[in-house]
Amino acid sequence: MTTATAGERARHAMGGGEAPVRWVWLAAWPVTAVFVLSNAATPLYVLWQREMGFSKGTLTVVFACYIAGLLGSLLVSGVASDRIGRKPVLLPALGLALVACLVFATAGGVGALIAARLCTGIAVGAVVSAGMAAVTDVAGPARRRLAALLASCAMVFGAGLGPLLAGVLSETLPGPTVTVFAVEAVLLASAVAVVVRMPVGAAHGGRDGARGVGGWVRVPGVPRGAGWQLALGTAVFAPGITATSFVLSLGPSLLAGLLGTGSRIVSGALAFAMFLSATGVQFAVRGLGRRTVLVCGAGATALGMAALLLAAHTGSVAALAGAALLAGAGQGMGQLGGLSLLNSAVPGARLAEANAALNVGGYLPAGLLPVSAGYLSDAVGLTTGATVFGAALAGLAVTGGGVVLLGRGRVSSAA
């Protein structure tokens, strides 16, 4: 007996048939809007740092509070979304993101920045689990590969658009922080309108094991038989997103220290180029096998860290730009490969939790390693800190690629 997915039930209620393809694209918009917020503060850190007088180590702690909020959210949001529905998780998350905009716009000290980043992380955790699963629900079984592509690209495109938008607005308009987050609030309000009308069902309830597999707050996981798919995706996604997190957290300091510029537009453009690379590469490799995508992602991350080392030791603009582009490509391919594996192996009733599990595996090192690198840079200098971090991360990326090659039979069976 086949049980309909939540998306199928919703489409039946609307008159049957698949949802129009425009709704698959629209369902990805809330993911983009929240991820714009996730990195909108990046070019403004140099401004806040000058006004508030905190160190690079403190800066990475502010960034890590976002990771802490995100990881805490992932312990709840995936399970909650699978049990009570996508909308009841997404709407409060968007509301919390609007609160974060208000706190950012009026921040007068480090405590406010930490609170705003924490709220942002909680909202992002809900969106990467419930929001990405909602895209798959709306797309339906026949368009799962398209859903994985759009959900993944929505995430990285929003993450890149945020710092570019913030950099340009903060350099060209008065009241930089207020203006940036007022514009972001408008984007989030439009995302709320999309979620309210999204053709997705109320809940998966107790079907397909959504209930009876543990409490509401727990480390997210996957159903029996999908563990290898999660492990292979995480092995490449984790080093990739850690590399981009490092560029985001210390990129402005690298630009100022190595290249002699504190321009928020340049900083935002670097981040945008990194995530534009992450977006574009996913469309470029969408026809390749999952194993190939993952191995190429691991290789791109390793090469990106090699370019970062070159930039740290030579002050080369080209090397730093190359590091950002390669890091973005590494995250993009690791993310697409991981989401595609989960979409192929996990039923809809556990998909949001599976997405949460992938992101826990990725964001945990993405929070810990850049913080360590920030304090190390304060102690021994930016060049040495970047060197140690880059070498360690390149080793993790190579190891992840090796894991995928050793588990090639698992990837092939998932395809």
Side-chain angles (χ1 to χ4, degrees):
M1 177 177 176
T2 302
T3 304
T5 68
E8 287 171 332
R9 292 200 309 274
R11 287 190 292 275
H12 178 73
M14 295 174 67
E18 289 190 331
V21 71
R22 71 175 183 276
W23 264 110
V24 185
W25 287 80
L26 282 172
W29 172 241
V31 178
T32 299
V34 171
F35 270 91
V36 169
L37 174 65
S38 73
N39 291 332
T42 299
L44 303 175
Y45 284 137
V46 174
L47 182 63
W48 282 319
Q49 196 170 15
R50 184 169 63 247
E51 293 177 351
M52 302 174 190
F54 53 82
S55 68
K56 290 190 291 292
T58 302
L59 174 60
T60 53
V61 169
V62 171
F63 181 81
C65 286
Y66 160 77
I67 303 293
L70 189 153
L71 291 174
S73 176
L74 290 173
L75 298 180
V76 181
S77 57
V79 176
S81 173
D82 287 335
R83 291 183 177 181
I84 66 175
R86 312 305 185 204
K87 292 184 182 183
V89 173
L90 286 173
L91 290 174
L94 291 169
L96 194 58
L98 286 165
V99 170
C101 286
L102 177 62
V103 177
F104 269 131
T106 58
V110 174
L113 296 181
I114 287 174
R117 288 297 280 170
L118 190 63
C119 290
T120 302
I122 295 171
V124 169
V127 165
V128 296
S129 52
M132 290 183 165
V135 178
T136 301
D137 286 350
V138 172
R143 298 184 293 203
R144 280 202 158 202
R145 290 199 70 140
L146 173 65
L149 176 65
L150 292 183
S152 184
C153 286
M155 173 179 167
V156 292
F157 182 72
L161 183 60
L164 178 64
L165 186 65
V168 172
L169 292 177
S170 67
E171 290 275 12
T172 58
L173 295 176
T177 54
V178 174
T179 302
V180 167
F181 294 106
V183 171
E184 167 58 9
V186 173
L187 300 182
L188 289 168
S190 70
V192 170
V194 168
V195 171
V196 168
R197 299 192 61 225
M198 187 184 297
V200 65
H204 284 278
R207 299 172 300 102
D208 301 327
R211 292 191 184 275
V213 291
W216 285 84
V217 180
R218 66 170 187 265
V219 176
V222 293
R224 185 182 301 275
W228 259 105
Q229 284 80 2
L230 175 62
L232 294 175
T234 303
V236 178
F237 175 55
I241 196 170
T242 304
T244 57
S245 295
F246 178 69
V247 174
L248 283 172
S249 61
L250 290 184
S253 298
L254 281 169
L255 285 169
L258 300 178
L259 307 179
T261 177
S263 169
R264 294 188 293 277
I265 293 179
V266 173
S267 174
L270 179 69
F272 179 72
M274 179 170 67
F275 286 110
L276 187 63
S277 170
T279 304
V281 75
Q282 293 183 65
F283 282 95
V285 304
R286 67 187 185 278
L288 300 179
R290 296 182 178 97
R291 175 193 172 200
T292 302
V293 171
L294 288 170
V295 171
C296 288
T301 299
L303 290 174
M305 292 303 95
L308 181 66
L309 297 183
L310 180 62
H313 287 278
T314 66
S316 167
V317 177
L320 183 57
L325 294 175
L326 286 165
Q331 179 187 335
M333 287 186 279
Q335 186 172 293
L336 177 62
L339 286 174
S340 296
L341 284 174
L342 293 180
N343 273 7
S344 71
V346 178
R350 296 287 302 277
L351 187 56
E353 184 183 355
N355 289 343
L358 177 67
N359 282 280
V360 166
Y363 277 104
L364 190 58
L368 295 176
L369 293 183
V371 169
S372 302
Y375 277 108
L376 181 63
S377 296
D378 281 339
V380 301
L382 191 59
T383 299
T384 302
T387 299
V388 172
F389 177 85
L393 192 52
L396 288 176
V398 170
T399 301
V403 169
V404 173
L405 289 173
L406 291 174
R408 58 187 179 274
R410 304 282 183 173
V411 182
S412 300
S413 64

